Amino acid sequence: MSPKHTLSRAHTFPADFVWGVATSSFQIEGAAQADGKGPSIWDSFCQVPGAIADASNGLVACEHYDRWQADVDLIASLGVNAYRFSVSWPRVQPLGQGAFNEAGLNFYAQLVDALIAKGIAPYVTLNHWDLPQALQDQGGWANRDTVQHFVNYASEIFKRLGNRVAAYTTHNEPWVIAVLGHESGIFAPGLKSRATTMQVSHHLLLSHGMTLQALRAQGCNVPLGIVLNLSPTVPASDSAADQAKAILEDGRLLRWYMDPIFKKVYPQDVMADLGSEAPHIEPGDLDIIATPMDYLGVNYYTRSVVSADGSWKPQNSGLPLNDMDWEIFPEGLSQLLIRMHQDYPLPPIYITENGGAFPDALKVGQVDDQDRIRYIDQHIDALAQAMAQGVPVNGYMVWSLMDNFEWSSGYAKRFGIVHVDYASQKRTFKASAHWYQDFLTYQRQQQHHANAGKTAAITGVD
Ligand code: FCB
């Protein structure tokens, strides 16, 4: 083990801390038309000329649908105790309403069983963006009917997977679905309307709250929550205009989701800015959205630098950039968590995604991704610092288990700690996978020593 990248070793995490890796259905499964699966909005979006940087799609991806057993072995060999994945809604309910697809349901049931058999806790996300295209044809998340369809789908998944999973997440990153999917249009379904964006975000939140209530009424007793993409938002300059814009964007990214969930209200400044583009909210909606959650998932990658002219580019900050041109800013993770802990009555937090794309090169069967190791090491260290200040964090998951389809960047950007050769589908541990494995072994040893110490103290042995 290299002597470098040991910041994270300065901390001993609780023995029951959750250490995982994460993926999502569309990004890894492939088998886009197999066994009765219906098309999702991402299958459609990939066909739009210019939508995906390398003109690729999710037809094959990592062939996880066929290789899932070997992939479960791969996950187990990392030494993690958790795996976060998502269910493809159109795989289990091709039209998004009506009949369910037994083959699809069975796929996830088998996956869950195999994970549990290996001692890996399954963290199930119900919506990681691949909405059935048939529902988009009826307006998608902008149509309030989709809320009830989602609750029905979630209920069926609960019937099938039950209380043997570790947790259910309703939505992954509703801001991304709303804003990148319906305002900038760079993600599926590729629309460009701010009014639609805000209505979509409201329906996502509403369906989140309704799902919590429905699953609990069905006897669900595993933790339920949502995953938000959050970051500190800072102005690009000291100008009054940039500073005002940063406050508004913080409102749109963080407070727009946190306030209704934890305070039963949408932020006033964002509402005022929206004017006639504010969403339609029915009486009682906010009560449903504020249904208490068991945990909050936070995906953290970078900070947001904003300027009044609308550009989001970091302006010569001097911070290193990853292969997505995202600033590497580990302090942002501690800052974010400490601020959230001050502003909201937080339930336990899981960092459900953290990681980076770096220009990996496979050389003689090895990928020496020291930059990714440094990134993960620094972020685990930043996480521990926030925990030391009292932020309740229960787990951390690396994005991603393996290289996969990175949305509009296609396969060109690699986030995995396991390298995928797409021609052969061969998986190869990168140096970062070995590093994570060693780190987890070290954590277990620390706990072992701590426990031995406790026993010694109790029995008076030294
Ligand atoms: C997040 C997504 C995840 C992955 C990472 C890099 O926004 O949830 O699917 O694409 O970014």
Side-chain angles (χ1 to χ4, degrees), residues 127-201:
N127 172 25
H128 201 124
W129 309 352
D130 40 2
L131 180 77
Q133 178 60 42
L135 291 185
Q136 189 61 45
D137 295 341
Q138 297 172 19
W141 285 110
N143 182 345
R144 197 174 164 105
D145 293 346
T146 300
V147 173
Q148 188 58 52
H149 296 318
F150 181 74
V151 176
N152 297 345
Y153 149 69
S155 298
E156 186 69 21
I157 296 300
F158 174 68
K159 264 192 224 156
R160 192 59 185 249
L161 304 183
N163 286 319
R164 63 192 201 283
V165 307
Y168 289 101
T169 293
T170 52
H171 302 294
N172 178 71
E173 304 189 345
W175 179 91
V176 170
I177 299 172
V179 175
L180 302 190
H182 300 80
E183 186 169 321
S184 66
I186 60 168
F187 279 9
L191 304 181
K192 291 187 179 162
S193 151
R194 193 162 79 143
T196 306
T197 298
M198 301 322 283
Q199 194 62 56
V200 162
S201 66

Side-chain angles (χ1 to χ4, degrees), residues 433-452:
H434 291 295
W435 179 91
Y436 197 40
Q437 203 178 31
D438 288 347
F439 168 76
L440 296 177
T441 304
Y442 178 79
Q443 279 298 321
R444 278 191 294 272
Q445 284 165 353
Q446 292 292 100
Q447 278 138 21
H448 185 71
H449 290 151
N451 287 340

Side-chain angles (χ1 to χ4, degrees), residues 27 128-129 172-173 299 301 326 353 399 406-407 415:
Q27 294 178 276
H128 201 124
W129 309 352
N172 178 71
E173 304 189 345
N299 292 350
Y301 288 94
W326 297 348
E353 288 181 25
W399 184 272
E406 179 45 36
W407 310 113
F415 274 89

Side-chain angles (χ1 to χ4, degrees), residues 2-57:
S2 130
K4 290 187 295 180
H5 312 313
T6 53
L7 288 174
S8 51
R9 292 199 174 207
H11 314 280
T12 302
F13 287 81
D16 57 355
F17 200 77
V18 172
W19 294 104
V21 283
T23 63
S24 86
S25 49
F26 191 82
Q27 294 178 276
I28 64 166
E29 285 179 2
Q33 293 156 357
D35 296 344
K37 177 183 169 292
S40 79
I41 56 173
W42 272 93
D43 289 304
S44 309
F45 192 63
C46 289
Q47 293 173 19
V48 176
I52 312 298
D54 57 4
S56 63
N57 54 51

Side-chain angles (χ1 to χ4, degrees), residues 32-278:
Q33 293 156 357
D35 296 344
K37 177 183 169 292
S40 79
I41 56 173
W42 272 93
D43 289 304
S44 309
F45 192 63
C46 289
Q47 293 173 19
V48 176
I52 312 298
D54 57 4
S56 63
N57 54 51
L59 288 172
V60 176
C62 306
E63 281 184 4
H64 171 72
Y65 185 75
D66 296 309
R67 297 171 181 270
W68 65 271
Q69 283 159 306
D71 286 340
V72 168
D73 292 342
L74 190 71
I75 296 164
S77 66
L78 282 167
V80 295
N81 56 19
Y83 173 52
R84 173 176 180 250
F85 64 94
S86 76
V87 174
S88 160
W89 185 353
R91 189 178 295 290
V92 303
Q93 193 180 29
L95 300 179
Q97 56 182 311
F100 285 90
N101 177 30
E102 183 53 30
L105 289 166
N106 201 34
F107 171 71
Y108 297 105
Q110 287 187 317
L111 177 62
V112 164
D113 289 343
L115 289 165
I116 293 171
K118 298 243 175 218
I120 300 164
Y123 283 72
V124 179
T125 302
L126 296 166
N127 172 25
H128 201 124
W129 309 352
D130 40 2
L131 180 77
Q133 178 60 42
L135 291 185
Q136 189 61 45
D137 295 341
Q138 297 172 19
W141 285 110
N143 182 345
R144 197 174 164 105
D145 293 346
T146 300
V147 173
Q148 188 58 52
H149 296 318
F150 181 74
V151 176
N152 297 345
Y153 149 69
S155 298
E156 186 69 21
I157 296 300
F158 174 68
K159 264 192 224 156
R160 192 59 185 249
L161 304 183
N163 286 319
R164 63 192 201 283
V165 307
Y168 289 101
T169 293
T170 52
H171 302 294
N172 178 71
E173 304 189 345
W175 179 91
V176 170
I177 299 172
V179 175
L180 302 190
H182 300 80
E183 186 169 321
S184 66
I186 60 168
F187 279 9
L191 304 181
K192 291 187 179 162
S193 151
R194 193 162 79 143
T196 306
T197 298
M198 301 322 283
Q199 194 62 56
V200 162
S201 66
H202 178 65
H203 288 157
L204 287 165
L205 285 166
L206 182 64
S207 65
H208 156 76
M210 280 178 66
T211 300
L212 260 48
Q213 295 186 0
L215 295 200
R216 286 188 184 133
Q218 279 175 262
C220 177
N221 56 31
V222 297
L224 301 175
I226 194 168
V227 167
L228 303 178
N229 54 302
L230 300 175
S231 58
T233 300
V234 297
S237 80
D238 289 342
S239 78
D242 282 0
Q243 291 191 25
K245 179 73 171 180
I247 292 171
L248 184 65
E249 286 300 337
D250 174 69
R252 283 175 49 98
L253 176 73
L254 187 147
R255 290 180 284 116
W256 185 261
Y257 298 92
M258 294 292 286
D259 284 13
I261 290 174
F262 292 104
K263 300 180 178 172
K264 216 186 269 197
V265 64
Y266 279 115
Q268 196 44 52
D269 58 335
V270 181
M271 272 293 187
D273 180 68
L274 286 170
S276 63
E277 294 177 316

